[in-house]
Structure formats: C-alpha cells, structure tokens
C-alpha cells in the first residue's frame, strides 16, 4: 500500500470488520536516528469463519524530520488453524 488513503481504506474496509478477538504485542529492537525496527506478534479470529490466525513479524519504519513515516517495510509468518489459543 502506498499513501494514507490506501492505508485508511485497508483498515476501514478490510481488517476492521474481518477480524475479532485481536491481540497484538510489540518489542522494539532498535530505534536509531530516523529508523525503527520492531518484532511483533498478533492473533485474531477471522470473521465470519472463526478461523484462528497467528502472525509473527518484523517491521522497519523510516521517519522524516517531522516524525512522519516515509517508508514502512514488514515481513511476517502466518499460521492458521481452527484452534483458538491466547497469545502470551
């Protein structure tokens, strides 16, 4: 996705109503100069199937001098099952 409008559209039309029981956890790995790197984990149930999804990812964000994100990169692994467990 590129730009604020594309990101807003994704959350408004897709993820907002497509997920329930969302859990999210993040650990900052590095924050130096204008680049931040973090490890994140998320779990949720898909709507309407109820399928349980586990995500484990890394993100890198680059910011300009006003603190606005100018580049965002993300990598993740996804595991899906019928089993519902809680992220710890």
């Amino acid at each position: 996705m590129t730009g604020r409008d594309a990101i807003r559209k994704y959350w408004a039309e897709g993820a907002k109503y497509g997920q329930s029981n969302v859990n999210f956890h993040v650990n900052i790995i590095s924050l130096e100069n204008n680049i931040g790197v973090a490890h994140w984990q998320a779990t949720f149930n898909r709507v309407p199937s109820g399928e349980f999804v586990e995500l484990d990812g890394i993100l890198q964000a680059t910011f300009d001098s006003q603190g606005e994100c100018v580049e965002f990169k993300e990598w993740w692994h996804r595991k899906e099952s019928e089993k519902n467990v809680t992220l710890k």
Side-chain angles (χ1 to χ4, degrees), residues 4 22-23 33 48-49 53 72:
R4 291 181 181 183
V22 177
N23 291 292
N33 298 321
S49 72
V53 180
F72 183 86

Side-chain angles (χ1 to χ4, degrees), residues 32 36 39 50 53-54 56-57 67 75 78 82 86:
E32 188 171 329
H39 172 236
V53 180
E54 297 174 81
D56 185 35
W75 303 267
R78 179 181 68 227
E82 294 180 22
T86 303

